[in-house]
């Protein structure tokens, strides 16, 4: 199993409020049923976050093919411009 932290975002939310965050993810792996997991915390997140320490967990199952990986790499290599 390959795991790595992509980023951290802090978004304060008041009681009863709903927050929506948009995340752009650039695939580095290909395959079926890849998991993209978000950990939600109340207060500070620990240095080594995991499912057991998270207040809530959001998990998305995604499929990434070779075309998506090539497009992502081309976009990164050209500063975001598409050819």
């Amino acid at each position: 199993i390959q795991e790595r932290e992509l980023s951290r975002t802090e978004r304060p939310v008041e009681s009863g409020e709903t927050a929506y965050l948009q995340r752009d993810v650039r695939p580095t792996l290909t395959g079926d049923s890849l998991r993209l997991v978000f950990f939600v915390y109340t207060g500070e997140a620990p240095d080594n976050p995991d499912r057991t320490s998270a207040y809530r967990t959001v998990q998305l199952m995604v499929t990434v093919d070779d075309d998506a990986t090539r497009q992502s790499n081309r976009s990164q290599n050209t500063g975001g411009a598409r050819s």
Side-chain angles (χ1 to χ4, degrees):
I1 296 177
Q2 271 188 336
E3 293 182 4
R4 68 183 173 110
E5 183 174 320
L6 299 176
S7 67
R8 289 186 182 216
T9 302
E10 185 175 326
R11 171 61 164 90
V13 179
E14 298 296 324
S15 179
E17 181 183 9
T18 300
Y20 296 93
L21 300 175
Q22 181 175 325
R23 308 302 307 159
D24 292 321
V25 178
R26 303 209 185 267
T28 58
L29 299 172
T30 59
D32 297 326
S33 300
L34 301 175
R35 286 185 294 181
L36 183 59
V37 181
F38 297 87
F39 299 132
V40 179
Y41 287 90
T42 58
E44 294 291 320
D47 289 336
N48 298 307
D50 63 18
R51 290 177 188 276
T52 60
S53 63
Y55 169 67
R56 294 281 190 261
T57 302
V58 178
Q59 177 176 294
L60 304 172
M61 301 301 286
V62 297
T63 297
V64 179
D65 62 21
D66 288 330
D67 291 335
T69 303
R70 278 195 298 275
Q71 182 63 41
S72 176
N73 289 338
R74 183 170 44 238
S75 190
Q76 288 174 356
N77 293 337
T78 58
R82 293 187 179 188
S83 54

